């Protein structure tokens, strides 16, 4: 069934690096064409499904990559579910820091699950299709979790700032209502932004080809397939993504700047070490997450290839969700002690 729309020629395009929904991509800006030029193009067949090309089309890499990503996903599920249950079951972890860590694990598990199963299916089927509606749903849920994670990392940085710089006011400042507010607000904001952008994108017309040269439905490949003029959509994405990344990163940087000043003013070496150890795990997670995004985003245009973006996306959408619970469990004595207590209590044989 044909829809009454026309293809905008893609001959005059300008590539500009843009940061979309918490991760860097290049948005392809389609220039406007006059009305007479549009009328010369044929109608476009309505797209009902998309074909995901996946990470590679090399047959020799399909089985090894499937094994690697299956292991990564299983570790991600076990690690994040373990962190969620551990911070809930152990009373000594009922603190603001671990409350935020629990929701960080939820977002990690969320966007990893949105992407991983469908991506791994591409390794075992000849034609990995995804329906039009499921593609929209995948994009929407991915945006919700990835945007929420940005602001949860910011909330965790603020929590460490209060704990180190204003310890006497910590209980009052980081009260339970405040913690819930710092978590619920990002969820509500990310849901609003995700639905707004997804509906805006999928209300536009796609060109004849339904092949997505990616391993999940993302804004970059989908925007490049649009027939309609995308200037308004690109501007909206640029504004939202810029605000998301810069505001969350600014909170993290300012928080750690005050933390560093407070640590340097301490007279005791032991006090400095204890203060630094309380935020070392979070700092490691922040450096890995934001470092990956900024490394790609700040690349020169000549080296900012689409395949590089794909490989980077694999790292921060699949590998980082696996690393986060490992970092917090291996570098955090409280988590390790809580795990020992929980396992000991669960393994006790009743008399």
């Amino acid at each position: 069934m044909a829809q009454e729309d026309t293809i905008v020629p893609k001959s005059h395009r300008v590539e500009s690096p843009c940061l979309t929904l918490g991760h860097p991509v290049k948005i392809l800006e389609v220039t406007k064409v006059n009305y007479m030029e549009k009328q010369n193009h044929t109608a476009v067949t309505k797209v009902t499904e998309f074909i995901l090309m996946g990470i590679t089309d090399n047959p020799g890499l399909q089985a090894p990559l499937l094994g690697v990503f299956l292991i990564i996903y299983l570790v991600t599920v076990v690690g994040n579910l373990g962190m969620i249950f551990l911070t809930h079951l152990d009373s000594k972890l009922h603190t603001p820091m671990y409350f935020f860590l629990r929701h960080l694990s939820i977002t990690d598990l969320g966007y990893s699950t949105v992407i991983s199963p469908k991506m791994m299916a591409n390794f075992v089927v000849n034609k990995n299709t995804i329906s039009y509606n499921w593609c929209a749903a995948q994009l929407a849920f991915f945006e919700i979790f990835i945007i929420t994670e940005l602001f949860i990392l910011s909330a965790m940085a603020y929590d460490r700032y209060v704990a180190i710089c204003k310890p006497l006011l910590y209980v009052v400042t980081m009260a339970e209502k405040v913690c819930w507010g710092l978590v619920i607000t990002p969820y509500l904001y990310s849901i609003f932004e995700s639905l707004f952008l997804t509906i805006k994108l999928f209300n536009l017309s796609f060109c004849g080809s339904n092949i997505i040269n990616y391993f999940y439905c993302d804004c970059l490949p989908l925007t490049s397939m649009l027939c309609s003029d995308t200037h308004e959509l690109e501007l909206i994405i640029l504004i939202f993504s810029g605000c998301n990344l810069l505001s969350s990163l600014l909170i993290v940087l300012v928080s750690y700047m005050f933390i560093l000043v407070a640590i340097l003013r301490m007279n005791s070496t032991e006090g400095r070490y204890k203060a630094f150890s309380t935020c070392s795990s979070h700092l490691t997670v922040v450096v890995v997450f934001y470092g990956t995004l900024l490394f790609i985003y700040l690349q020169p245009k000549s080296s900012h290839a689409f395949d590089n973006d794909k490989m980077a996306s694999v790292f921060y959408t699949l590998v980082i969700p696996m690393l986060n619970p490992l970092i917090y469990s291996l570098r955090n004595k409280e988590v390790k002690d809580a795990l020992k207590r929980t396992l000991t209590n669960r393994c006790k044989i009743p008399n």
Side-chain angles (χ1 to χ4, degrees):
M1 179 178 177
Q3 61 184 27
E4 296 299 320
D5 204 347
T6 53
I7 301 176
V8 177
K10 302 183 178 181
S11 57
H12 300 91
R13 289 186 166 184
V14 179
E15 292 191 3
S16 64
C18 179
L19 198 67
T20 301
L21 309 175
H23 65 287
V25 298
K26 296 174 295 181
I27 298 297
L28 300 175
E29 299 179 353
V30 183
T31 59
K32 293 182 179 179
V33 295
N34 58 51
Y35 177 78
M36 293 302 296
E37 188 177 3
K38 287 184 180 181
Q39 297 303 310
N40 293 330
H41 293 274
T42 58
V44 181
T45 302
K46 182 175 176 62
V47 175
T48 58
E49 66 177 18
F50 296 97
I51 299 174
L52 297 171
M53 295 302 292
I55 296 175
T56 179
D57 56 0
N58 188 334
L61 295 177
Q62 302 292 326
L65 286 177
L66 175 60
V68 170
F69 289 122
L70 180 60
I71 293 173
I72 289 175
Y73 182 62
L74 290 176
V75 174
T76 299
V77 172
V78 172
N80 285 289
L81 281 179
M83 192 64 69
I84 292 169
F85 287 120
L86 186 64
T87 54
H88 178 74
L89 294 174
D90 194 280
S91 59
K92 292 188 177 181
L93 297 185
H94 291 176
T95 63
M97 182 175 75
Y98 295 106
F99 172 80
F100 293 128
L101 177 58
R102 185 186 314 153
H103 287 276
L104 180 68
S105 294
I106 291 173
T107 57
D108 281 335
L109 183 61
Y111 69 77
S112 178
T113 300
V114 167
I115 293 172
S116 294
K118 191 62 181 175
M119 181 208 68
M120 288 187 289
N122 192 56
F123 294 119
V124 295
V125 296
N126 294 326
K127 186 180 178 182
N128 187 23
T129 60
I130 183 170
S131 70
Y132 185 89
N133 292 333
W134 276 111
C135 184
Q138 187 184 56
L139 175 62
F141 279 106
F142 174 75
E143 290 170 349
I144 289 172
F145 288 118
I146 200 73
I147 295 170
T148 303
E149 174 146 333
L150 283 170
F151 291 104
I152 286 181
L153 287 173
S154 301
M156 295 175 78
Y158 175 72
D159 170 74
R160 293 300 83 205
Y161 155 73
V162 177
I164 294 173
C165 299
K166 300 181 179 181
L168 298 179
L169 300 175
Y170 182 75
V171 176
V172 176
T173 306
M174 301 304 297
E176 184 177 1
K177 290 183 179 179
V178 176
C179 293
W180 274 110
L182 291 173
V183 166
I184 291 177
T185 302
Y187 277 117
L188 294 177
Y189 166 72
S190 63
I191 290 172
F192 163 76
E193 181 181 331
S194 172
L195 291 178
F196 178 79
L197 291 176
T198 303
I199 293 172
K200 187 80 175 174
L201 192 154
F202 279 85
N203 275 339
L204 298 176
S205 302
F206 289 92
C207 294
S209 175
N210 65 339
I211 298 176
I212 301 178
N213 186 23
Y214 220 54
F215 58 97
Y216 67 98
C217 290
D218 193 24
C219 280
L220 170 61
L222 290 172
T223 303
S224 66
M225 296 166 61
L226 291 173
C227 304
S228 311
D229 178 65
T230 59
H231 278 94
E232 182 184 358
L233 176 63
E234 290 165 5
L235 180 60
I236 293 172
I237 290 174
L238 180 61
I239 293 173
F240 272 128
S241 57
C243 291
N244 292 341
L245 183 70
L246 294 179
S247 60
S248 62
L249 183 58
L250 182 62
I251 294 172
V252 171
L253 292 176
V254 171
S255 297
Y256 275 104
M257 181 183 70
F258 282 111
I259 289 172
L260 179 61
V261 172
I263 291 176
L264 293 177
R265 287 179 176 176
M266 293 179 181
N267 297 323
S268 164
T269 304
E270 182 181 353
R272 290 180 180 178
Y273 174 79
K274 185 177 180 181
F276 179 77
S277 63
T278 61
C279 55
S280 60
S281 296
H282 176 259
L283 186 59
T284 303
V285 170
V286 165
V287 169
V288 173
F289 188 76
Y290 282 98
T292 304
L293 302 183
L294 294 176
F295 173 77
I296 307 159
Y297 179 57
L298 296 178
Q299 286 186 90
K301 290 183 181 180
S302 59
S303 62
H304 197 93
F306 187 77
D307 287 339
N308 291 342
D309 287 339
K310 188 188 294 187
M311 290 301 101
S313 295
V314 169
F315 184 77
Y316 73 78
T317 58
L318 302 177
V319 179
I320 287 181
M322 176 192 70
L323 293 179
N324 286 348
L326 294 179
I327 291 172
Y328 272 97
S329 60
L330 296 176
R331 295 178 59 87
N332 193 304
K333 187 176 183 299
E334 289 181 340
V335 172
K336 289 189 286 187
D337 291 342
L339 180 61
K340 291 178 183 178
R341 286 193 299 270
T342 302
L343 292 176
T344 300
N345 292 335
R346 294 295 182 274
C347 293
K348 282 182 179 179
I349 300 176
N351 295 327

